[in-house]
Amino acid sequence: MAQCAQSVQEFIQDSFVPMVSVLCSEDAERVTRKNSLSFPELLRPFCRLTSEGHLRDPNNQVVVVKGLRISVTGVNTRPPNSGEVRKLLSQAVSACQPPEGLPANVITAGDYDLNISDRSVKASVPWYSDWKEMLTQLSSSKYYTATTPWFEAYRENFLQSMPASDHEFLNHYLACMLVVSSREAVPTEQFLKLSQEQHRIQHSGEYTYPKWFIPNTLKYYVLLHDISDGDEQRADSVYEDMKQRYGTQGCYLLKINSRTGAAGPDEQMPDPWSQYLQKTNVHSPYEEGVLNNVENNISSEVDGLDSSDVVSEIHPLKLEQSADPGFPGNPSKAVNSADTARTQKQGSVTPGAAPTAHGACLTLNDHDRIRQFIQEFTFRGLLPHIEKNIRQLNDQLVSRKGLSRSLFSATKKWFGGGKVPEKSIAELKNTAGLLYPPEAPELQIRKMADLCFLVQHYELAYSCYHTAKKDFLSDQAMLYAAGSLEMAAVSAFLQSGAPRPYPAHYMETAIQTYRDVCKNMVLAERCALLSAEVLKSQAKYSDAATLLIKMTSEDSDLRSALLLEQAAHCFINMRSPMVRKFAFHMILSGHRYSKAGQKRHALRCYCQAMQVYKGKGWTLAEDHINFTIGRQSFTLRQPENAVAAFRHILINDSKQTATQQSAFLREYLYVYKSLSQPSNEGSLPQLPLPCVHSAQTRVFFGHEPRLAEGEKQAATHVWLDQEFDREQAQLWSELEEQVVAVANRGSVPIGFQSTQYCLSSHTDNLRYPFAVVEEPMFVEVLFRNPLKVPLILSDLSLLWKFTTKDFSGPQGGTTGETITNEKEAAAGKATALNDIISTEVIPEFTVGPEETKVARLKLLPHKTGELHVLGIVYNLGTREEDNSTSEASQLMCVRGRQDLEIQGPRLNVTKEEKTSVRHGPDRRLDPIITPPMPLLEVFFINFPTGLLCGEIRKAWVEFVNVSAVPLAGLRVASTHPEFFTFGSATADLTPVTPTAAEHCSAYKTMVTPPSDAAVTLVSPAAFGITGVDRPTVVEIPLTGGVLGPGEALQIPLWLRGPDREGVHEISFLFYYESLEKNAKLSHRVLRHKAVICASRSLSVRATACRSNTLPGRGRRDEREEERSGSMLVFVDVENINTSEAGVREFHIVQVSSSSRQWRLHKCINPAGDKDSRLASRERGKLCFRATRCRTQEATSDALEKYTFADLNLGNEQIVSSTTPCADFFFRRGPPSEPRKGGVITVGGLLRRQSLTPASSIDDSMTSIVRKCSEVELDIIVLWKAYVVEDNKQLILEGQLHVALQTIGKEACSLSQKEEAQEMVLLKFKPDLPPPVSRPSLEQLSHLIKTCLHYPESYDHPFPQKSLCMVPVTLTLSNCSLAQVDVIIDLRHKTTSPESLEVHGSFTWLGQTQYKLQLRPQEVHRLSLKACFFQAGVYNLGTPRVFAKLAQSGTMCETSQQSAMPALIIINSV
């Protein structure tokens, strides 16, 4: 049980005190009425004795009486009826609420810290706050409990309201004070009248109440003297006469009203009566002067009684039912009328009336006189009277002790004057069937026990109760026996020194008898209250809880609620606290409080129980408690607390059914609506539903994307539907950085930030974003509905705050006023400020059950300044699913808001930031609205989605300026610059429209029959190539350099299919600027991503072989070509298309070359060969002769020009030196390093600086040797493909590039698959310097080209001459640009595998080894003689040639590549 203000002993002693009645004369009542008090009320604050009293028991032992309190009441005070008792108890509990100013009581129970708060609601709201911080150590007691003053008030009023009954005498009157004023003419006569009146009341039998303890009641005569208005000498003389008449111990002179004037303003007299007078109706041990406030609360808060508690036919406290339960009172005489009047008056105190001042005529000396009077009355009158009666009763009992039971029974019958006849056991168990007469010996024993108990002689009292108990049980007088058992147990407990244990079974028997046999719940309740306090004092909390729970019943909700609450406190105070039982019984108590009309106490119980259930996963229990808390709070006119409770039901992931959740939501909406009605002018409160994930909010600046219109496709740009890709974002940023660097003459401005159109949690939001005036911005808010019922959001819009600012002025512009749409949005007029910022309102937005859904809200700023998006505002409602009609499905909705508060990223740079948790700002909702900027839209016409590898397709691109500001500086950057070209400045733009170009070739063609190559010189600068690197940024020419407002520009765009098959993502970044410089935005970009699916076409492999022909006989032009050098180029073409694209066959229509040194001269394939047509999986080989460019063409200004040579295999020549063929050639990827799909790296190859002169010599030598085998010839294979699509034949065309770099090394149009890079170990030592580069043996073997000139056959008459001499010329050609030392060794036997099959041997005559030095590109001839011995076929290719560079020093000669087998036929004639 909860802690009480009194100890158990004090509580029991104050529950049973001597009762004294008062009879006053009219004058005496008038004297006390000056103080607004009746005489019993005047004495009430002084009725507890401060000193010890003494008396002697029958054994002449002194009994010490400590802290005795007496009860003084008017003799005509009527007992309250049942309705009054119920109302009195209910008001006492309702008025005694926990005060809000005291600290909270926090009890540590196991793993729980329970806030058993004395602040009914405020200590527990919000329900899920961190209340552990309020933990305080309030008591050193091991079993500390919280106080429950409402229970003590109930208990005190309950015990005081119990009427006197016949089976016990504890609350019968022991004495009667007769009070007469000293102003009476003959006071003694008045005393006589009052004495007779008292005798008539007690002995006439007319009155059921009051009840008197013994027939010879003590009469105590009090002469009341008014000092301020009376003769003191006369009063003294009258008192002397009284002492002679009644004895000194039977009378007293009480002088009061010493104050003659009104109290001064600074003089404050104590008012000890107020708290006692309030207890006639309500009791509040904590607060004073709150009677009126309490009654106001009772009437205004619906706290009080149910009708079932007030209306009752039978008084449960009444033991005797009579037709006229009278009580003393005479209308003609004012006998204690003031007491009665006060009781009636206080029952109906006017609300709001000022409290009445009591004791206005009394001084502190008067207080002392009253206190002295009570002490004299008790010590000299009451206690001696009780002592005398105890002795008399004891003598009567002792005289009977020796008699037998039968004789004793006969004596009882004799003295009893006839008792009710004996009845059967069943009848005896009915307490109404047996009544003892007042003189019955059993009742005399009970009287003696009660007298001993009242004067604290508990040992003798226990003995008497024990004896009476046996007698009553033997007579089966169960009501009397239960009363004796009850008091025997209490007496045993109160005995000093505890000679015997507390007989708890006595109490259990008494309670069972009261409840089950006597059907008297009130007496059973008193017994349970006493026993529970005793058990609690002995730390038997489990027994006490069991006892209290047994006493709950359906007949009284208030009693059940109080006892359940006390049982819950017992559970929490056990040695091992039972916290869940505490919470469960607090819930039961709260339920019974609610049924009893005690809403505040019900709310407190639920709040305390919530502390146990919260956060433990018992969601259904939490929902029930929160729902009840919400309803009780709403009933008590606490809508804020009600909303908080209902809010918590909704925001948690509830496990309730959809029907229950719908009921919760409707209840919440109803409560919320009633709360928000009075505060329409204020700011909108926060709504709990739906859940808004603020961190997932995305913001987009710009217009919505346009849909494709036929063949016209808009640039994809950026939109909210696209998921964030960090790699793509980095790619776009690098592209933008490249184009900005080009636009700013090669340098990126300081503080450059890439443009971000879509801001999310993945982007960098530390800086304020920029939005352009008159361009919309979209805010995407993510909603989640945790409920299983749909939520209807209506009139959904954004809340914003805007500060106007003019950025055109000096020093950043001027700041204007700040405007917000919060008031307009709260009133449902979100569009009221559309002249500043147009706010989109979504009429209805439905979030389905447990659905996550996004809403896109639009703002359109019309002025420049600083915008802050604060949150969203909407009407929250739900729709009844079972009602299909439109009228029945009316929305119950409430208007509220939710703020968008986004926490920035955690800072982790400095030491302070690393050691603490700090977050940076997130500015995505705070854009700066800048002045107007141009806005570009790009449309692609006839843009393909699928291409063959290398296919050329002509499309068109349209640029439109849709803003009111002119546009300039249009550029485009791409991740795949080799994929597209806009053509060169000299390009032939015919045909000029997309429709005219529909059936025309993308190439410029000329009708020319097959012949030698057509040669054209082209400068790379004409195609935008200024260095060794491909252009990554292309400037788009505009008419006059400006695209005006509303103007459009349409230009052709040539596309070439990627060389690799598969799906390719190609990114375009269009960059443009404004003619007017903007202080905030320097440029804008437009993004486009094209997806191209590339299919296989042809695979081209090419090999260059050195021609062995040297200048000799022939035509002059051929000799010139041979003199300048020639090669054989073999082109192997394979159709690797698998016909999945409907391709029937490929035609090789032309082979072109492009180089600064070489060119294709002629095709040497047999005439009329049809190998140029290739079906699927077919292969063909073409052979071409390549020659060096003519010296007259290679002038100084043409050194960097490329020579394009076209060899057409059909009747049309494609001019490869013009757009688009030459464009794609110059924009091709580097052959040796295939691109990896990222951004093109800018910069050439890095070369290591030479550190020593020797290394420089080696480098130059290496370059000389390398140039001997270098070719640097690019082959362009142009083809046409015949495709059948939709029963139509289409002709596709394209080009493939093969880069020949080295003689004898095969090159391919398809880059080889990149091998996976091996893992490289980390190296912590610096790398050694790379070795000095030296030319390889293969490179050194190409220094000298050799050729043998001899007759193919030779006739010789061997019979005449046995030795045949044949002249042979060996031609040596220096292929390098440096002097070469050559050694020629004529060997007689060949080692080449080709000559092993040739029979016969010969020998060289003359000098067999030569050493020569050849100048750069010198041709030298040696005349040799071969000697043959017989006819046959001989191989003359036996000479071995060794060469080295003349400046190479000690380097050994390297064997040169041998010529092909040189066969000669020797015929014998």
Side-chain angles (χ1 to χ4, degrees):
M1 293 177 68
Q3 185 187 39
C4 299
Q6 297 175 306
S7 66
V8 186
Q9 289 80 4
E10 292 173 345
F11 159 65
I12 296 177
Q13 289 174 6
D14 284 352
S15 300
F16 304 101
V17 296
M19 303 286 292
V20 178
S21 63
V22 174
L23 267 176
C24 286
S25 67
E26 187 176 353
D27 285 345
E29 191 64 35
R30 193 178 297 112
V31 171
T32 59
R33 205 175 297 137
K34 290 183 179 181
N35 299 287
S36 302
L37 297 167
S38 65
F39 188 77
E41 292 170 348
L42 180 71
L43 303 183
R44 194 164 296 156
F46 310 100
C47 285
R48 184 178 295 279
L49 301 181
T50 56
S51 56
E52 297 179 355
H54 301 83
L55 55 82
R56 293 183 179 273
D57 64 1
N59 296 327
N60 215 24
Q61 298 294 325
V62 176
V63 178
V64 180
V65 183
K66 298 179 180 179
L68 181 64
R69 185 177 73 86
I70 63 174
S71 176
V72 181
T73 57
V75 73
N76 57 350
T77 303
R78 68 177 180 86
N81 57 36
S82 62
E84 291 173 342
V85 170
R86 289 177 180 270
K87 186 176 181 180
L88 175 69
L89 296 178
S90 181
Q91 287 180 352
V93 173
S94 179
C96 193
Q97 299 292 338
E100 298 181 359
L102 295 184
N105 296 337
V106 181
I107 302 174
T108 301
D111 296 333
Y112 298 84
D113 291 332
L114 298 180
N115 174 12
I116 313 300
S117 175
D118 283 344
R119 309 185 212 178
S120 170
V121 175
K122 289 192 177 180
S124 302
V125 177
W127 321 111
Y128 286 76
S129 62
D130 189 7
W131 46 268
K132 288 187 177 181
E133 295 178 0
M134 297 187 293
L135 179 62
T136 51
Q137 192 67 29
L138 297 178
S139 175
S140 59
S141 170
K142 188 174 183 181
Y143 300 103
Y144 176 74
T145 55
T147 57
T148 50
W150 49 90
F151 172 69
E152 297 176 41
Y154 171 87
R155 192 176 57 187
E156 183 178 355
N157 280 273
F158 170 77
L159 293 174
Q160 289 183 0
S161 64
M162 292 188 67
S165 58
D166 290 333
H167 78 288
E168 61 184 11
F169 305 94
L170 290 167
N171 50 0
H172 291 198
Y173 286 123
L174 274 168
C176 182
M177 291 184 182
L178 307 177
V179 186
V180 173
S181 172
S182 60
R183 295 189 61 182
E184 294 279 356
V186 184
T188 53
E189 291 184 4
Q190 193 64 31
F191 277 126
L192 180 60
K193 290 181 181 179
L194 293 179
S195 178
Q196 292 173 352
E197 178 67 18
Q198 187 275 332
H199 188 273
R200 184 180 67 83
I201 292 172
Q202 180 176 358
H203 297 290
S204 66
E206 299 176 6
Y207 305 106
T208 307
Y209 296 101
K211 294 187 180 295
W212 304 90
F213 206 106
I214 48 181
N216 186 18
T217 302
L218 170 66
K219 295 185 180 62
Y220 197 78
Y221 300 90
V222 180
L223 183 63
L224 189 63
H225 177 63
D226 189 346
I227 298 178
S228 63
D229 185 17
D231 187 355
E232 191 168 353
Q233 292 184 354
R234 181 174 183 276
D236 291 338
S237 64
V238 172
Y239 178 56
E240 291 296 330
D241 183 39
M242 289 171 58
K243 287 195 288 187
Q244 296 295 330
R245 186 184 299 268
Y246 308 118
T248 57
Q249 296 183 353
C251 59
Y252 193 84
L253 172 61
L254 177 60
K255 299 178 180 181
I256 59 172
N257 296 347
S258 300
R259 186 183 299 277
T260 56
D266 298 334
E267 186 177 1
Q268 294 183 353
M269 289 297 294
D271 184 6
W273 295 274
S274 58
Q275 57 178 324
Y276 292 95
L277 296 181
Q278 290 162 18
K279 286 185 180 181
T280 59
N281 285 300
V282 288
H283 300 259
S284 178
Y286 281 90
E287 301 178 18
E288 296 184 3
V290 296
L291 174 63
N292 298 326
N293 295 333
V294 165
E295 294 191 351
N296 289 338
N297 291 338
I298 293 171
S299 61
S300 64
E301 294 174 3
V302 205
D303 270 10
L305 296 168
D306 294 340
S307 58
S308 59
D309 289 334
V310 178
V311 180
S312 179
E313 297 295 334
I314 300 174
H315 185 3
L317 299 179
K318 187 174 299 181
L319 302 177
E320 296 178 2
Q321 302 298 333
S322 60
D324 181 18
F327 62 93
N330 190 345
S332 61
K333 296 182 180 180
V335 182
N336 203 21
S337 59
D339 191 28
T340 306
R342 177 164 300 281
T343 303
Q344 296 172 352
K345 180 181 178 181
Q346 288 179 350
S348 59
V349 177
T350 303
T356 306
H358 304 107
C361 299
L362 301 178
T363 63
L364 294 179
N365 291 332
D366 292 333
H367 294 187
D368 293 338
R369 293 190 188 99
I370 298 172
R371 193 175 291 108
Q372 182 65 29
F373 160 64
I374 293 296
Q375 189 164 338
E376 286 290 325
F377 163 72
T378 305
F379 291 162
R380 304 186 64 180
L382 184 61
L383 289 182
H385 176 71
I386 293 175
E387 179 181 349
K388 183 180 74 171
N389 279 280
I390 289 175
R391 289 181 179 274
Q392 290 177 357
L393 292 171
N394 182 67
D395 292 342
Q396 294 178 19
L397 296 175
V398 168
S399 64
R400 299 185 178 92
K401 275 189 178 180
L403 302 176
S404 64
R405 176 63 189 164
S406 59
L407 183 58
F408 187 46
S409 300
T411 307
K412 286 195 291 182
K413 291 178 183 179
W414 176 264
F415 284 102
K419 192 171 60 176
V420 177
E422 293 186 7
K423 301 182 181 295
S424 65
I425 299 299
E427 290 176 329
L428 287 176
K429 287 189 177 180
N430 182 0
T431 183
L434 177 62
L435 292 176
Y436 289 98
E439 298 83 6
E442 292 86 351
L443 292 187
Q444 304 306 314
I445 300 177
R446 175 64 197 251
K447 279 186 181 181
M448 179 177 173
D450 288 346
L451 283 174
C452 295
F453 187 88
L454 291 175
V455 295
Q456 302 175 11
H457 194 351
Y458 299 119
E459 186 175 359
L460 183 56
Y462 174 78
S463 178
C464 294
Y465 284 133
H466 197 267
T467 303
K469 178 254 306 183
K470 294 180 180 179
D471 293 343
F472 291 138
L473 286 176
S474 64
D475 291 339
Q476 289 295 307
M478 302 310 294
L479 177 63
Y480 295 88
S484 299
L485 283 169
E486 175 186 6
M487 297 311 297
V490 173
S491 300
F493 170 73
L494 292 176
Q495 289 183 39
S496 59
R500 55 178 58 86
Y502 170 65
H505 59 287
Y506 279 14
M507 279 295 196
E508 293 176 5
T509 305
I511 293 173
Q512 185 177 2
T513 303
Y514 282 142
R515 185 182 59 203
D516 300 337
V517 178
C518 305
K519 306 299 181 184
N520 194 318
M521 285 299 297
V522 175
L523 292 174
E525 181 181 353
R526 182 188 71 177
C527 192
L529 293 176
L530 296 174
S531 181
E533 284 293 334
V534 173
L535 292 172
K536 186 197 76 169
S537 68
Q538 297 177 343
K540 297 179 180 179
Y541 291 103
S542 179
D543 296 341
T546 303
L547 175 63
L548 292 169
I549 294 171
K550 283 183 179 179
M551 283 305 299
T552 59
S553 61
E554 293 299 323
D555 62 331
S556 174
D557 290 314
L558 181 61
R559 178 185 71 233
S560 299
L562 289 162
L563 297 185
L564 284 169
E565 182 181 11
Q566 295 305 308
H569 282 280
C570 290
F571 289 123
I572 204 67
N573 285 284
M574 291 182 178
R575 191 177 300 273
S576 297
M578 305 174 75
V579 184
R580 290 192 292 273
K581 275 200 171 184
F582 160 79
F584 179 69
H585 285 84
M586 288 301 285
I587 294 293
L588 296 178
S589 175
H591 176 65
R592 299 303 291 270
Y593 270 131
S594 180
K595 289 179 67 178
Q598 300 286 341
K599 308 297 182 185
R600 283 185 176 274
H601 287 293
L603 179 60
R604 175 184 49 78
C605 289
Y606 278 100
C607 291
Q608 291 180 6
M610 174 56 88
Q611 299 173 101
V612 176
Y613 287 107
K614 68 179 177 182
K616 299 298 185 298
W618 299 334
T619 56
L620 298 180
E622 286 187 56
D623 290 347
H624 167 74
I625 296 172
N626 273 314
F627 182 73
T628 308
I629 287 174
R631 279 201 162 178
Q632 298 288 8
S633 300
F634 182 71
T635 305
L636 293 172
R637 294 182 177 86
Q638 298 173 3
E640 295 86 357
N641 297 336
V643 167
F646 282 119
R647 176 190 181 93
H648 198 79
I649 302 177
L650 301 177
I651 61 176
N652 272 358
D653 292 331
S654 174
K655 296 181 180 178
Q656 302 282 359
T657 62
T659 306
Q660 190 65 47
Q661 288 182 357
S662 179
F664 286 159
L665 181 58
R666 287 196 304 273
E667 194 91 13
Y668 169 78
L669 294 176
Y670 177 76
V671 172
Y672 184 91
K673 203 165 189 178
S674 66
L675 167 66
S676 59
Q677 282 176 354
S679 59
N680 285 333
E681 298 180 358
S683 61
L684 286 172
Q686 300 285 333
L687 288 175
L689 290 174
C691 300
V692 175
H693 297 277
S694 296
Q696 303 299 319
T697 301
R698 297 197 298 167
V699 183
F700 174 75
F701 302 101
H703 292 276
E704 294 184 57
R706 290 198 180 187
L707 300 176
E709 301 175 0
E711 295 295 326
K712 199 172 183 180
Q713 174 188 353
T716 56
H717 197 42
V718 189
W719 181 236
L720 292 167
D721 293 335
Q722 302 168 7
E723 294 294 331
F724 179 80
D725 187 336
R726 193 168 297 279
E727 292 183 0
Q728 286 291 322
Q730 181 66 22
L731 183 145
W732 289 118
S733 177
E734 292 178 4
L735 277 180
E736 185 175 354
E737 188 173 349
Q738 285 182 22
V739 71
V740 167
V742 172
N744 288 274
R745 299 178 181 178
S747 63
V748 179
I750 299 175
F752 164 76
Q753 287 286 318
S754 61
T755 306
Q756 295 184 129
Y757 285 101
C758 186
L759 302 180
S760 65
S761 58
H762 304 289
T763 55
D764 181 10
N765 306 321
L766 293 177
R767 298 193 180 190
Y768 290 97
F770 295 112
V772 180
V773 68
E774 300 298 342
E775 291 187 19
M777 62 174 286
F778 294 85
V779 179
E780 183 183 84
V781 184
L782 182 65
F783 293 105
R784 183 179 67 87
N785 180 8
L787 303 182
K788 300 173 184 175
V789 295
L791 297 177
I792 312 296
L793 311 185
S794 57
D795 294 342
L796 174 63
S797 61
L798 289 172
L799 292 173
W800 48 262
K801 182 174 67 174
F802 182 70
T803 304
T804 57
K805 194 170 185 180
D806 184 8
F807 295 104
S808 61
Q811 298 179 356
T814 57
T815 304
E817 60 176 342
T818 300
I819 305 166
T820 179
N821 71 334
E822 291 180 273
K823 288 186 179 180
E824 289 77 7
K829 301 176 182 178
T831 59
L833 299 175
N834 276 1
D835 56 332
I836 300 173
I837 294 181
S838 297
T839 306
E840 181 190 20
V841 178
I842 299 178
E844 184 171 304
F845 184 79
T846 303
V847 187
E850 298 180 336
E851 181 185 9
T852 299
K853 190 175 181 181
V854 295
R856 290 172 182 168
L857 299 161
K858 177 180 171 184
L859 294 177
L860 180 62
H862 301 294
K863 295 185 178 181
T864 59
E866 298 173 353
L867 176 64
H868 303 278
V869 178
L870 305 176
I872 53 175
V873 59
Y874 55 93
N875 296 325
L876 172 63
T878 183
R879 183 176 285 120
E880 296 290 342
E881 297 180 359
D882 53 349
N883 295 331
S884 58
T885 62
S886 59
E887 296 179 0
S889 60
Q890 290 291 331
L891 286 175
M892 176 187 285
C893 60
V894 294
R895 191 155 185 83
R897 65 184 287 176
Q898 287 202 56
D899 293 336
L900 295 174
E901 298 175 351
I902 304 175
Q903 187 180 58
R906 181 176 176 181
L907 303 178
N908 198 28
V909 179
T910 64
K911 182 179 179 181
E912 293 182 357
E913 293 170 351
K914 291 180 180 180
T915 55
S916 60
V917 179
R918 293 185 182 180
H919 293 269
D922 192 302
R923 309 287 192 191
R924 76 182 89 159
L925 294 175
D926 305 326
I928 295 175
I929 312 300
T930 67
M933 284 287 289
L935 184 62
L936 176 70
E937 286 191 0
V938 178
F939 299 94
F940 297 91
I941 304 169
N942 297 330
F943 197 91
T945 57
L947 292 172
L948 294 174
C949 291
E951 178 187 349
I952 302 296
R953 189 78 64 88
K954 189 175 184 179
W956 295 80
V957 60
E958 184 179 21
F959 301 98
V960 183
N961 183 1
V962 296
S963 68
V965 181
L967 176 153
L970 181 58
R971 295 176 175 85
V972 60
S974 176
T975 54
H976 296 68
E978 73 280 5
F979 171 71
F980 71 99
T981 178
F982 292 103
S984 63
T986 61
D988 187 359
L989 296 181
T990 57
V992 293
T993 62
T995 55
E998 186 175 352
H999 301 292
C1000 296
S1001 172
Y1003 293 109
K1004 181 179 180 181
T1005 60
M1006 298 171 61
V1007 178
T1008 306
S1011 62
D1012 291 348
V1015 179
T1016 308
L1017 272 177
V1018 174
S1019 172
F1023 294 89
I1025 308 299
T1026 56
V1028 296
D1029 303 309
R1030 292 175 299 162
T1032 57
V1033 178
V1034 178
E1035 186 167 353
I1036 300 172
L1038 299 173
T1039 306
V1042 176
L1043 191 63
E1047 293 184 0
L1049 173 66
Q1050 195 175 84
I1051 60 175
L1053 172 69
W1054 285 270
L1055 308 172
R1056 179 177 179 270
D1059 289 324
R1060 279 181 184 272
E1061 66 169 329
V1063 178
H1064 299 261
E1065 288 187 352
I1066 299 166
S1067 301
F1068 297 88
L1069 183 83
F1070 296 94
Y1071 167 97
Y1072 56 98
E1073 303 171 352
S1074 174
L1075 285 178
E1076 302 174 1
K1077 294 301 179 183
N1078 191 323
K1080 296 294 181 183
L1081 278 177
S1082 62
H1083 67 275
R1084 304 189 80 177
V1085 296
L1086 176 68
R1087 302 172 183 173
H1088 176 66
K1089 180 180 288 185
V1091 179
I1092 298 295
C1093 181
S1095 304
R1096 294 181 181 184
S1097 57
L1098 298 177
S1099 171
V1100 179
R1101 297 174 182 271
T1103 310
C1105 296
R1106 180 170 286 159
S1107 174
N1108 289 325
T1109 60
L1110 289 174
R1113 301 176 187 86
R1115 293 196 309 269
R1116 180 180 177 185
D1117 56 347
E1118 291 184 358
R1119 289 201 301 269
E1120 288 179 358
E1121 298 291 345
E1122 292 170 357
R1123 190 178 299 113
S1124 63
S1126 63
M1127 285 189 307
L1128 292 178
V1129 177
F1130 295 93
V1131 179
D1132 194 348
V1133 183
E1134 181 184 1
N1135 181 356
I1136 59 174
N1137 184 274
T1138 55
S1139 300
E1140 70 266 7
V1143 180
R1144 289 195 310 171
E1145 62 180 7
F1146 284 89
H1147 286 207
I1148 311 301
V1149 296
Q1150 181 173 310
V1151 178
S1152 300
S1153 69
S1154 175
S1155 175
R1156 287 177 290 190
Q1157 299 175 2
W1158 296 86
R1159 65 182 178 88
L1160 293 180
H1161 178 60
K1162 63 186 296 185
C1163 179
I1164 57 177
N1165 270 38
D1169 195 348
K1170 302 299 181 182
D1171 291 340
S1172 60
R1173 293 189 178 187
L1174 299 175
S1176 178
R1177 308 303 295 271
E1178 290 185 345
R1179 179 184 298 182
K1181 177 169 280 192
L1182 300 172
C1183 183
F1184 301 92
R1185 175 178 292 171
T1187 61
R1188 286 190 180 271
C1189 297
R1190 295 180 181 180
T1191 54
Q1192 60 266 27
E1193 295 172 356
T1195 56
S1196 60
D1197 62 339
L1199 286 177
E1200 293 301 321
K1201 289 188 176 182
Y1202 282 75
T1203 300
F1204 282 82
D1206 299 333
L1207 283 171
N1208 57 315
L1209 304 181
N1211 293 323
E1212 283 187 342
Q1213 177 198 345
I1214 296 175
V1215 184
S1216 63
S1217 59
T1218 60
T1219 298
C1221 185
D1223 292 86
F1224 288 115
F1225 165 72
F1226 286 117
R1227 298 172 78 89
R1228 73 198 186 284
S1232 59
E1233 297 178 3
R1235 270 189 0 92
K1236 299 182 180 180
V1239 178
I1240 302 92
T1241 56
V1242 180
L1245 297 174
L1246 296 177
R1247 295 183 178 179
R1248 185 175 296 273
Q1249 295 285 338
S1250 301
L1251 301 179
T1252 61
S1255 64
S1256 63
I1257 294 174
D1258 290 336
D1259 282 349
S1260 63
M1261 183 181 67
T1262 302
S1263 65
I1264 291 172
V1265 172
R1266 188 176 65 245
K1267 287 180 180 178
C1268 293
S1269 57
E1270 276 186 354
V1271 178
E1272 293 186 4
L1273 174 64
D1274 287 276
I1275 304 297
I1276 305 173
V1277 177
L1278 293 103
W1279 50 263
K1280 287 187 178 181
Y1282 293 87
V1283 180
V1284 176
E1285 184 177 301
D1286 296 334
N1287 296 324
K1288 293 181 181 179
Q1289 179 170 310
L1290 302 178
I1291 301 176
L1292 307 180
E1293 52 193 355
Q1295 65 188 59
L1296 296 173
H1297 306 133
V1298 181
L1300 284 171
Q1301 293 186 332
T1302 308
I1303 289 178
K1305 189 173 181 180
E1306 185 181 62
C1308 184
S1309 63
L1310 296 177
S1311 56
Q1312 300 297 322
K1313 292 185 178 179
E1314 303 170 18
E1315 297 180 358
Q1317 295 183 352
E1318 296 182 359
M1319 186 179 296
V1320 180
L1321 296 177
L1322 292 176
K1323 295 180 180 179
F1324 296 98
K1325 293 182 179 179
D1327 292 337
L1328 296 174
V1332 178
S1333 61
R1334 292 183 179 275
S1336 65
L1337 292 177
E1338 183 183 2
Q1339 291 174 334
L1340 291 172
S1341 67
H1342 291 288
L1343 291 175
I1344 301 298
K1345 184 169 72 172
T1346 61
C1347 185
L1348 289 170
H1349 292 270
Y1350 57 91
E1352 293 183 3
S1353 64
Y1354 192 82
D1355 297 335
H1356 179 74
F1358 281 98
Q1360 288 79 18
K1361 288 185 179 181
S1362 60
L1363 194 64
C1364 177
M1365 306 282 291
V1366 179
V1368 178
T1369 302
L1370 174 62
T1371 305
L1372 303 173
S1373 176
N1374 183 1
C1375 298
S1376 69
L1377 299 176
Q1379 285 189 352
V1380 176
D1381 294 335
V1382 182
I1383 296 177
I1384 301 107
D1385 183 11
L1386 304 178
R1387 303 181 63 178
H1388 295 277
K1389 290 185 178 180
T1390 179
T1391 57
S1392 60
E1394 294 87 352
S1395 61
L1396 292 179
E1397 298 178 359
V1398 181
H1399 301 284
S1401 62
F1402 72 99
T1403 183
W1404 294 99
L1405 295 180
Q1407 186 177 346
T1408 58
Q1409 185 163 333
Y1410 297 85
K1411 182 173 183 183
L1412 305 173
Q1413 190 173 59
L1414 299 183
R1415 294 188 301 275
Q1417 295 188 341
E1418 180 187 357
V1419 178
H1420 184 77
R1421 292 177 177 85
L1422 282 177
S1423 297
L1424 307 176
K1425 286 187 178 181
C1427 182
F1428 301 91
F1429 306 105
Q1430 58 184 5
V1433 179
Y1434 296 89
N1435 180 14
L1436 297 180
T1438 60
R1440 297 191 63 188
V1441 179
F1442 300 90
K1444 72 169 184 176
L1445 294 175
Q1447 60 182 3
S1448 63
T1450 59
M1451 182 182 292
C1452 297
E1453 292 83 357
T1454 306
S1455 175
Q1456 301 301 296
Q1457 285 185 346
S1458 61
M1460 296 299 292
L1463 300 179
I1464 186 170
I1465 302 173
I1466 304 297
N1467 298 317
S1468 178
V1469 293

